[in-house]
Amino acid sequence: MSSQFEPEGQAPPATGLLLLQVCIWGLFCVFALRFWYLQVYKGEHFAAKARDNQLRQEASFAPRGLVRDRTGELVAVNEPAYALGLVREDVRDLDATLAKIAEWTGTPQAELRERFEKGRRRVKPFEHLILVPDLSFDLLAHIEANTLFWPGLEIVVRPKRRYPQDELLSHVLGYVAEANEEELEKDSGLALGDNVGKGGLELVLEGRLRGAKGLTQVEVDATGRRLNQMVLREPGAGEDISLSIDLGLQRRCTEQMGGHSGAVVVMDPDTGRILAFVSMPSFDANLFVAGLSTEQWVALRDHPRHPLQNRVIQSMFPPGSVFKLVVGAAGLEAGINPRETVYCSGQVQLGKRVFRCWKKHGHGAVNYQQAQVQSCDVYFYSMGERLRVDKMAPFAMACGFGQRTGIELPHEKGGLVPTPDWKRRRFGEPWVGGDNLNMSIGQGFNLVTPLQVARFVSALVNGGTLYKPLLLADQAPEAQSRLPMSEGTRKLIVDAMVETVKSGTARRLQRRDAVMGGKTGTAQVVKLKLKEGDVRETTEEMAYEERDHAWLASFGEKDGQRYVAVCMVEHGGHGGSVAGPMLASVYDYLFGEATR
Amino acid sequence: MSPIDRRMLYHINWPLLGLAALLFAVGVVNLYSASGFRVETGQTMSSFYQKQLIWGAMGLVGMVAFLFLDYRHLKTLAWPLFVLAVLLLLCVPLFGKTIYGAKRWLDLGFFNLQPSEIAKISILLIGAKLLARGSRPMGWGELILVLLVGLVPAGLIIIQPDLGSGLSVLLLLGGMILYRGLRKGVLRVLLVVGPLLLPLSWFFLHDYQKRRIMTFLDPSTDPLGSGYHINQSQIAIGSGQIWGKGYLAGTQSQLRFLPEKHTDFAIAVFGEEWGFIGAIILLSLFSMFLYQIFVTASVAKDRFGSYLAAGVFFYFFWQILINMGMVLGLMPVVGIPLPFISYGGSAMVVNLCLIGVVINVSMRRFVFKRS
């Protein structure tokens, strides 16, 4: 044996051995006492708790608030939907269970697996993890009968959104669909499979519409089967909402648009309440609730007419002659005498460029009112030349253009009021004289939304107040600003609009029982194309996407009732002839059949 | 290799071996009951007790191997093993495998090695070797040296992060230091400074660790998280009352309200099914088991053997203390298994090997020449 195995001195440390003994006795005494406390002293208490433990608490689903139009007709309701839920604690063999569900529903097993992995992190012990959010009735009966053999699987009944008017109000209401990962992350009140608002009022009013989940106490046996249940907290339904929309009017406007793409807005000019909000074409919001298939989604997204585009607030169009209302007011405010005449020969020249009037042979000498009624381009060219962009742009902005109206819908666009600065940044080119002329007749770079036009015309009609457009019946009117014009100027413009219906381009709106006013617009989409010689193609000769946009901004007053209606028909051709009959029919709905 | 003669077999600590066998049996029987369904995935895990049997057999092989090797050779192995342990710990952040968000394992292909286990054994050997150099209570110089050696692996483990294993290395070493004894002056200073340092450590804890401690102080703050574990394990144990609900009849564990019941919370299943009587019997088994290690430490004929046994004593003592303290709601929840009762392969092998070391010390206590 080597020397390292020599005994090293003697005896282990006495205090150390004492320490070990203290440790043993301490351990025994402390834990024996604790066991006695838990099992003997408090034993009965914990035994009672153990019995309670066989009671689980489950969320019960709250219905979303109902949505009605101003007359009380329902536009968003709830109906029961059947989801397949899984309680992971009760499942014996997860893989076999998922395989079975895949067999029943046709959902690939990998997809179910992914859903399970995603959901388990968010589901509390013994809570349902929703694997299939919406079961068809056929499947329901089959699965219901089989869940008995698959512990942990259960049918969960939940309210599901339905839009009984199908496509009619989709651009206002938006839709609900299953919450995505990001939304689940942000909102701890959501569980996998819950629906949330994804667009329109459903999104904006999510906080008011969504109810509060209830709590139910469920008594279960060892395999998770429910024996008994008791409601601990009733679910709280979401708030019901009434719209300012008149469904009948909405229907009328939609019918009148026929197969055209475009927008119609009908507004109460004295409050800003919107009575009709039509964007065509529309889509069926019910498709989203059920969960779109990829093909359905692609078809909607890539549709040549863009049904998902909200043309009332998201599409920006050149305003065309409708913008003459703004330029005219700016000119009158700048001191142009309305009695002063301009001679229209059908065209004016600026440098090398020739600017034409829509009327080839000219209007002759026209004063302000005649110019607005006839929509004489040459008169407004001369105004544009005198005002220049420096006067027109700020004036247009003060009339509410170039900025959002603030309506309670997501993704509103602000339109564009061009300035020399903007042009330099955008195109790297200076503002030239011709730009002033184009701007004066609403061509060139100007872009507006139909809602901005409706709000502006409402302000002209109501005495000059720009109101925030409202969609809900209970919202108080909210004055945002005043039109930058004197009462005299405003009257001149409005009177000219009335005259336009009597003798000008908006004659289609004429009716004996009401005071009607209007301004048409035909906005060129592409630069004027001339056929050989000097003749322009007719609308029918042009390719659809090259045809002009047709505008008609109007108001009507009868027996103290006032309405503003704006119609924009995408690639519709001439404002008066295309949009005129449509709005005439809209006023028939509002005022009764006309005596013309 | 020193020969094994009949005298040695006679001096094997048979009671220790018997107690270990009993505890192992209790563990497997309990595991069978706990093997209902696995809470997380819904998979059955009836094979857990079978696997535990296999690990036990492997541990037995390790134990016998340790019996043949004279424990005094371990002294020469102490430093090389220490260097190996530190190297392995250094490898973890570089090549480690991330499980549950922490890098603690090295993937060796056929199994995942947890270097902190090696570190514990190496600290045991180094501690015994360094402490056995003297016999009187330690002064500052010796204490600081030993602590420095211990802090290297402990620090590396804590930054993994694995606070539980890191602290158990320090606790193991601390127990051995106390076994050797400290000079009165040193002890007095430590008794004053130690409690002052404790609150400072709060700032080094991870958020989830702070949350566990807060939950321990007030379980109602997190009734569905770690508070859920504490509540459920106390309900399970408490509802066992005096006589227990009977084997395989624990409603809490069978109903799967109890999480982690096969690993850290295994004793809750036992407490529910066997009641206060069973719990006291189990506690007695553990106490007698520790007592037999104490006996070996006290009769060892050289200081190294005695410190080795004391190290093994603390190795088991802390695990029992922390696991039971946690399950019984006396301590915050930390993931420390209960020796022989919790499911766990590498722990079982290490446990049995260490018992081999202790028996080795006890059976060779007569081989020394009389001086």
Side-chain angles (χ1 to χ4, degrees):
Chain A
M1 257 184 227
S2 65
S3 64
Q4 60 165 332
F5 288 173
E6 289 301 310
E8 312 154 319
Q10 285 309 312
T15 50
L17 290 174
L18 186 66
L19 175 72
L20 297 196
Q21 281 172 295
V22 170
C23 283
I24 296 171
W25 279 106
L27 188 82
F28 184 87
C29 291
V30 168
F31 288 144
L33 209 65
R34 183 65 179 173
F35 275 116
W36 178 84
Y37 172 80
L38 290 177
Q39 300 187 298
V40 182
Y41 183 70
K42 287 274 216 172
E44 197 40 61
H45 163 80
F46 282 114
K49 275 207 154 184
R51 287 190 291 275
D52 292 345
N53 232 339
Q54 294 159 42
L55 302 173
R56 296 176 183 174
Q57 298 192 337
E58 282 181 0
S60 42
F61 296 91
R64 224 172 149 79
L66 302 175
V67 184
R68 296 181 169 87
D69 86 331
R70 67 181 315 177
T71 64
E73 198 170 343
L74 285 164
V75 294
V77 298
N78 303 298
E79 58 187 24
Y82 302 90
L84 184 59
L86 175 143
V87 177
R88 59 191 170 146
E89 283 81 2
D90 292 332
V91 173
R92 297 277 163 82
D93 185 336
L94 183 70
D95 288 321
T97 307
L98 291 182
K100 200 73 202 168
I101 300 171
E103 184 193 314
W104 286 335
T105 61
T107 317
Q109 198 181 341
E111 206 174 289
L112 293 169
R113 181 96 217 174
E114 195 193 320
R115 215 179 148 78
F116 173 81
E117 293 299 334
K118 239 187 255 169
R120 59 189 274 199
R121 279 180 274 127
R122 302 193 41 89
V123 174
K124 292 178 188 140
F126 303 106
E127 234 178 44
H128 284 114
L129 193 163
I130 302 292
L131 276 181
V132 186
D134 201 352
L135 292 170
S136 71
F137 266 107
D138 301 345
L139 272 176
L140 179 68
H142 181 67
I143 293 178
E144 180 92 80
N146 275 288
T147 47
L148 194 66
F149 306 109
W150 293 91
L153 285 190
E154 230 175 283
I155 302 288
V156 185
V157 188
R158 308 184 302 167
K160 172 182 135 186
R161 201 57 147 175
R162 198 170 65 78
Y163 304 100
Q165 311 299 336
D166 297 338
E167 303 203 343
L168 201 55
L169 268 178
S170 299
H171 282 293
V172 176
L173 293 174
Y175 54 88
V176 300
E178 204 182 327
N180 60 30
E181 194 109 356
E182 196 185 323
E183 287 155 340
L184 291 171
E185 212 51 60
K186 257 195 292 192
D187 190 338
S188 61
L190 289 175
L192 193 75
D194 282 358
N195 278 342
V196 292
K198 296 277 191 175
L201 290 177
E202 292 275 27
L203 172 64
V204 177
L205 301 180
E206 175 70 23
R208 287 168 71 182
L209 286 167
R210 192 199 298 171
K213 285 180 187 172
L215 205 59
T216 302
Q217 183 166 279
V218 182
E219 194 185 333
V220 294
D221 68 7
T223 61
R225 271 194 288 264
R226 52 187 60 215
L227 307 171
N228 228 329
Q229 62 183 57
M230 187 177 88
V231 176
L232 294 183
R233 191 177 68 221
E234 292 284 358
E239 192 187 330
D240 290 352
I241 302 281
S242 286
L243 302 178
S244 60
I245 301 280
D246 180 320
L247 212 52
L249 183 65
Q250 179 86 6
R251 229 173 256 131
R252 173 67 65 99
C253 296
T254 306
E255 284 161 15
Q256 285 301 310
M257 283 298 278
H260 285 290
S261 301
V264 183
V265 184
V266 180
M267 207 174 198
D268 173 353
D270 296 302
T271 58
R273 290 214 167 87
I274 294 175
L275 303 172
F277 186 110
V278 175
S279 170
M280 295 289 287
S282 189
F283 59 93
D284 185 356
N286 290 310
L287 291 178
F288 286 87
V289 184
L292 281 178
S293 68
T294 313
E295 300 88 70
Q296 282 173 315
W297 167 245
V298 169
L300 268 179
R301 190 193 57 193
D302 298 344
H303 192 286
R305 297 273 186 114
H306 307 294
L308 295 176
Q309 175 87 6
N310 188 332
R311 286 167 167 80
V312 178
I313 57 169
Q314 290 172 353
S315 294
M316 305 191 290
F317 304 97
S321 298
V322 171
F323 201 64
K324 288 173 183 164
L325 300 175
V326 180
V327 175
L332 295 172
E333 282 301 300
I336 290 172
N337 186 341
R339 279 187 294 268
E340 188 186 315
T341 57
V342 167
Y343 185 79
C344 168
S345 66
Q347 62 181 65
V348 291
Q349 192 150 2
L350 185 76
K352 273 186 219 158
R353 281 182 66 190
V354 173
F355 288 81
R356 290 166 200 283
C357 186
W358 65 268
K359 194 170 179 188
K360 203 180 159 198
H361 302 293
H363 290 93
V366 286
N367 65 15
Y368 177 76
Q369 192 184 49
Q370 290 162 333
Q372 189 185 319
V373 170
Q374 297 303 322
S375 204
C376 172
D377 289 336
V378 169
Y379 182 93
F380 283 92
Y381 288 145
S382 81
M383 247 187 185
E385 218 174 343
R386 289 163 73 175
L387 292 170
R388 314 184 62 81
V389 64
D390 324 335
K391 286 252 169 60
M392 286 188 286
F395 194 87
M397 285 185 205
C399 290
F401 294 97
Q403 61 206 311
R404 297 191 183 109
T405 66
I407 190 172
E408 271 197 85
L409 287 178
H411 315 304
E412 188 191 1
K413 291 263 166 60
L416 174 68
V417 175
T419 61
D421 250 11
W422 169 85
K423 192 183 175 194
R424 206 172 305 115
R425 262 182 291 131
R426 177 75 175 72
F427 296 108
E429 287 170 13
W431 190 270
V432 294
D435 290 330
N436 290 328
L437 267 54
N438 274 333
M439 186 173 183
S440 68
I441 61 161
Q443 291 294 155
F445 307 116
N446 296 291
L447 292 173
V448 302
T449 65
L451 187 62
Q452 286 174 330
V453 174
R455 182 175 62 155
F456 171 66
V457 175
S458 290
L460 283 177
V461 171
N462 71 23
T465 307
L466 284 162
Y467 280 106
K468 176 177 167 179
L470 305 178
L471 281 170
L472 305 188
D474 62 352
Q475 273 170 306
E478 192 180 317
Q480 290 172 314
S481 60
R482 303 264 319 157
L483 289 179
M485 62 182 78
S486 67
E487 187 58 17
T489 299
R490 191 186 67 81
K491 278 222 171 86
L492 270 171
I493 308 266
V494 172
D495 287 347
M497 286 177 82
V498 173
E499 192 55 38
T500 306
V501 172
K502 282 188 184 144
S503 62
T505 50
R507 280 189 296 265
R508 302 282 183 130
L509 292 182
Q510 275 178 10
R511 50 192 298 149
R512 293 222 180 97
D513 59 343
V515 180
M516 304 297 297
K519 181 76 200 81
T520 57
T522 304
Q524 286 168 26
V525 178
V526 288
K527 277 233 170 87
L528 207 67
K529 254 213 289 201
L530 296 178
K531 285 201 299 192
E532 63 237 44
D534 222 3
V535 188
R536 216 188 150 201
E537 285 177 307
T538 62
T539 300
E540 289 69 34
E541 286 170 329
M542 298 164 87
Y544 175 79
E545 59 277 10
E546 291 183 351
R547 291 179 194 170
D548 300 334
H549 295 321
W551 280 97
L552 178 54
S554 71
F555 64 85
E557 182 172 352
K558 179 187 173 184
D559 307 335
Q561 281 178 286
R562 289 201 284 209
Y563 300 100
V564 163
V566 171
C567 176
M568 206 291 310
V569 183
E570 227 170 84
H571 307 297
H574 289 279
S577 51
V578 179
M582 289 184 186
L583 287 193
S585 166
V586 166
Y587 283 106
D588 284 347
Y589 178 90
L590 290 166
F591 294 146
E593 287 302 322
T595 45
R596 289 203 170 82
Chain B
M1 182 130 309
S2 45
I4 302 252
D5 60 26
R6 217 187 306 154
R7 212 160 38 140
M8 280 194 193
L9 284 178
Y10 180 76
H11 289 294
I12 282 181
N13 189 334
W14 291 110
L16 179 63
L17 204 56
L19 285 163
L22 265 176
L23 283 168
F24 177 76
V26 170
V28 172
V29 167
N30 188 55
L31 209 50
Y32 179 82
S33 174
S35 305
F37 310 93
R38 197 159 159 198
V39 172
E40 273 305 294
T41 60
Q43 286 160 337
T44 61
M45 51 169 220
S46 50
S47 56
F48 277 70
Y49 76 96
Q50 291 163 337
K51 283 192 195 154
Q52 189 83 333
L53 279 171
I54 295 168
W55 286 115
M58 286 172 69
L60 200 63
V61 172
M63 184 168 97
V64 171
F66 269 93
L67 285 182
F68 280 97
L69 174 77
D70 190 320
Y71 71 91
R72 283 165 295 184
H73 287 292
L74 291 175
K75 215 195 281 188
T76 43
L77 275 177
W79 279 112
L81 189 68
F82 179 79
V83 172
L84 176 72
V86 171
L87 284 179
L88 285 173
L89 285 172
L90 285 173
C91 284
V92 170
L94 300 177
F95 316 110
K97 193 172 163 178
T98 306
I99 304 179
Y100 304 127
K103 271 193 178 180
R104 297 174 186 173
W105 291 267
L106 287 176
D107 189 353
L108 294 186
F110 52 100
F111 78 111
N112 291 329
L113 179 74
Q114 198 171 348
S116 56
E117 289 299 319
I118 311 258
K120 275 184 212 162
I121 297 170
S122 109
I123 284 296
L124 184 75
L125 298 185
I126 284 280
K129 183 186 169 99
L130 293 177
L131 292 168
R133 287 204 294 220
S135 58
R136 277 179 298 172
M138 285 159 77
W140 283 113
E142 248 186 307
L143 175 66
I144 287 167
L145 173 79
V146 175
L147 280 181
L148 281 181
V149 170
L151 279 173
V152 172
L156 287 173
I157 295 171
I158 287 174
I159 59 171
Q160 276 179 2
D162 185 357
L163 188 68
S165 299
L167 286 182
S168 44
V169 166
L170 289 179
L171 283 173
L172 172 61
L173 193 61
M176 293 173 76
I177 290 170
L178 289 178
Y179 178 70
R180 159 83 180 271
L182 292 165
R183 282 211 215 111
K184 275 188 184 135
V186 178
L187 200 60
R188 253 183 236 134
V189 172
L190 288 185
L191 282 177
V192 174
V193 176
L196 288 179
L197 286 178
L198 212 56
L200 271 182
S201 61
W202 177 258
F203 300 103
F204 295 99
L205 294 178
H206 284 269
D207 280 344
Y208 76 94
Q209 290 162 334
K210 288 182 189 168
R211 222 176 305 128
R212 280 182 185 175
I213 291 172
M214 293 311 291
T215 309
F216 166 70
L217 296 174
D218 181 10
S220 62
T221 55
D222 185 17
L224 291 166
S226 54
Y228 179 83
H229 290 208
I230 297 175
N231 282 335
Q232 292 300 324
S233 69
Q234 290 191 41
I235 289 173
I237 292 171
S239 66
Q241 297 184 273
I242 295 179
W243 299 102
K245 294 176 188 169
Y247 186 53
L248 298 179
T251 56
Q252 295 308 287
S253 35
Q254 298 306 326
L255 277 175
R256 284 148 282 134
F257 289 103
L258 191 62
E260 301 292 334
K261 61 186 180 199
H262 63 298
T263 58
D264 295 350
F265 285 85
I267 190 168
V269 176
F270 185 87
E272 184 186 12
E273 297 189 341
W274 301 91
F276 180 65
I277 303 296
I280 292 300
I281 291 173
L282 182 64
L283 205 49
S284 306
L285 288 180
F286 272 121
S287 298
M288 289 190 289
F289 172 76
L290 288 175
Y291 182 78
Q292 286 308 318
I293 303 177
F294 154 79
V295 166
T296 302
S298 67
V299 298
K301 279 294 180 280
D302 67 338
R303 281 207 299 269
F304 179 64
S306 179
Y307 283 110
L308 217 45
V312 175
F313 177 94
F314 281 110
Y315 176 85
F316 285 114
F317 173 76
W318 289 124
Q319 288 189 54
I320 299 167
L321 182 80
I322 293 172
N323 180 279
M324 282 206 184
M326 156 182 95
V327 177
L328 292 175
L330 294 172
M331 275 183 195
V333 174
V334 276
I336 301 261
L338 186 60
F340 304 109
I341 307 297
S342 296
Y343 172 78
S346 47
M348 181 60 74
V349 173
V350 171
N351 290 344
L352 289 174
C353 288
L354 289 178
I355 289 169
V357 170
V358 174
I359 292 174
N360 196 330
V361 172
S362 76
M363 74 190 212
R364 283 185 220 278
R365 64 187 195 265
F366 294 101
V367 299
F368 296 98
K369 285 179 257 173
R370 289 205 177 120
S371 52

